[in-house]
Structure formats: C-alpha cells, structure tokens
Amino acid sequence: MAKLTKTPLDNQTQEDTLRIKGGVLTVEATVISGKDGEHFVSIIPSLMISGYGFTEQEAMDSLDENMETFCEDFMKLSHEQRKSELTKLGFSQVSYHTKNYSKLYVDENGLLQGLENVTIKKNKQYKVAC
C-alpha cells in the first residue's frame, strides 16, 4: 500500500508536474475544494482524481485515499503504459519533469471552469510522494 505524504508548497507553481525517480512518484498538483449541492468536492483536475464528503475535511480525506490508489496502480504500470496514461491526461514529457496542459482551469476570478455547479472555497497545492 502506498503511503501518502503531503507537503504544502510555499510558492504556487503554474503547472502540475509528475516525476518518477528511484521508484518514487512525486506529484505537485493543484487541489480545488468546493461545495456542489449538499456535498463538498475536492479535485485534482489534471489527474481527474476527486473525493467527496459531507464536510470539506471528509472530501479531502476521500481525495487522499483516491490519490493513494492512483499512486499504487500507476507505479505498477510499465514505463510505456505510464507514458500512455499521462499522455491521455494531457501531460507531455519534458527534460527532467512532466508538465500538464489540463483542459480544466481556474479563471482570473478564482473560479474552476470545466465543471458544472461548483463553488470554490479554496485553491491550494500540495506535493505528494508515494
């Protein structure tokens, strides 16, 4: 089982990145949390990973569990399979790291575009190694 370690980022990066080095997957990703109807939703748009719950904390805990599952499954793939999956998600390989060009984005007013009926409460980033 993968162990999820979250580290707050001091500076917000412009792009989400994934890096595999020494068998460790490091992800720097934007996490969007908001309320949709009666539930809170937390999502990493670039990886299409989300979590939900009746509270914001439940949504983040659910997202963490889903991120652990993603890491476990992703690291079991061959190099070519990993590359194919990242390409499907909109990532492209660049020297020393991978960049994201996600179709989902946060506009100049801080609103997530590309999803329906979402009100964003916060926009934060974290770095995860699993």
Side-chain angles (χ1 to χ4, degrees):
M1 175 178 245
K3 179 171 171 48
L4 187 68
T5 307
K6 295 195 304 188
T7 307
L9 296 177
D10 294 330
N11 299 320
Q12 288 192 348
T13 57
Q14 296 298 314
E15 299 168 323
D16 290 2
T17 61
L18 286 94
R19 183 175 185 192
I20 301 171
K21 184 176 181 181
V24 175
L25 172 64
T26 302
V27 179
E28 292 185 19
T30 300
V31 177
I32 308 293
S33 293
K35 192 164 185 180
D36 190 15
E38 295 181 14
H39 293 90
F40 283 89
V41 178
S42 294
I43 185 170
I44 301 173
S46 61
L47 296 176
M48 300 303 288
I49 298 173
S50 63
Y52 70 95
F54 289 107
T55 66
E56 192 169 15
Q57 186 58 51
E58 285 180 6
M60 287 302 295
D61 291 345
S62 175
L63 177 68
D64 290 347
E65 289 176 24
N66 293 333
M67 187 66 183
E68 286 178 15
T69 301
F70 169 81
C71 289
E72 289 174 3
D73 294 344
F74 185 78
M75 293 305 288
K76 290 177 185 175
L77 299 175
S78 70
H79 175 74
E80 289 303 315
Q81 290 171 320
R82 289 177 190 167
K83 190 174 178 180
S84 174
E85 289 303 313
L86 291 174
T87 300
K88 289 177 190 175
L89 289 169
F91 286 82
S92 62
Q93 188 170 358
V94 179
S95 298
Y96 303 113
H97 66 283
T98 319
K99 293 184 177 180
N100 170 54
Y101 301 98
S102 177
K103 295 175 184 172
L104 300 177
Y105 64 95
V106 177
D107 69 13
E108 64 276 355
N109 297 317
L111 298 176
L112 179 62
Q113 299 299 316
L115 296 177
E116 296 178 16
N117 301 323
V118 173
T119 303
I120 296 174
K121 286 194 69 174
K122 66 180 179 180
N123 177 359
K124 73 174 191 174
Q125 296 184 321
Y126 66 88
K127 183 175 181 177
V128 57
C130 52

